[in-house]
Amino acid sequence: MNSIITRVISNPHSKTSWIFYPNGMKPFVISKSKCKGESLKSKTFYVCDFMSTTSAKGTTYVYAVYNYGELMVGRPTTAKAKGK
């Protein structure tokens, strides 16, 4: 298991699955019930572990995702610049 930074988006074709866009890997779809750990929100970045198996042909199948936590990218949207 290796920790991977990934972006999560809700699947527009299904209410019961997520689309994961991990850095350096192809995007994949997984059921919401197979995601463990903290709850996921759409359009955010997370640190996750992927539990996977590799077939004889070399294709990797992800069968579970364990979410450790959300990453904060950039400044928070509530921060305001001070004026004169």
Side-chain angles (χ1 to χ4, degrees):
M1 290 189 288
N2 294 324
S3 295
I4 297 173
I5 297 172
T6 184
R7 183 173 185 208
V8 177
I9 296 179
S10 59
N11 191 351
H13 301 291
S14 173
K15 293 182 180 181
T16 61
S17 63
W18 293 105
I19 300 175
F20 282 81
Y21 290 95
N23 290 345
M25 295 172 60
K26 291 174 61 175
F28 62 92
V29 177
I30 195 165
S31 172
K32 289 182 180 181
S33 65
K34 294 185 180 186
C35 299
K36 311 291 184 214
E38 296 182 19
S39 62
L40 298 174
K41 293 181 268 182
S42 184
K43 299 181 182 177
T44 52
F45 290 88
Y46 292 98
V47 176
C48 299
D49 273 346
F50 297 145
M51 280 57 107
S52 61
T53 59
T54 305
S55 69
K57 293 181 182 180
T59 306
T60 302
Y61 296 100
V62 177
Y63 61 87
V65 174
Y66 188 82
N67 177 23
Y68 287 114
E70 182 179 344
L71 293 178
M72 186 174 124
V73 180
R75 280 185 2 174
T77 57
T78 58
K80 296 181 181 177
K82 292 183 180 180
K84 288 186 176 182

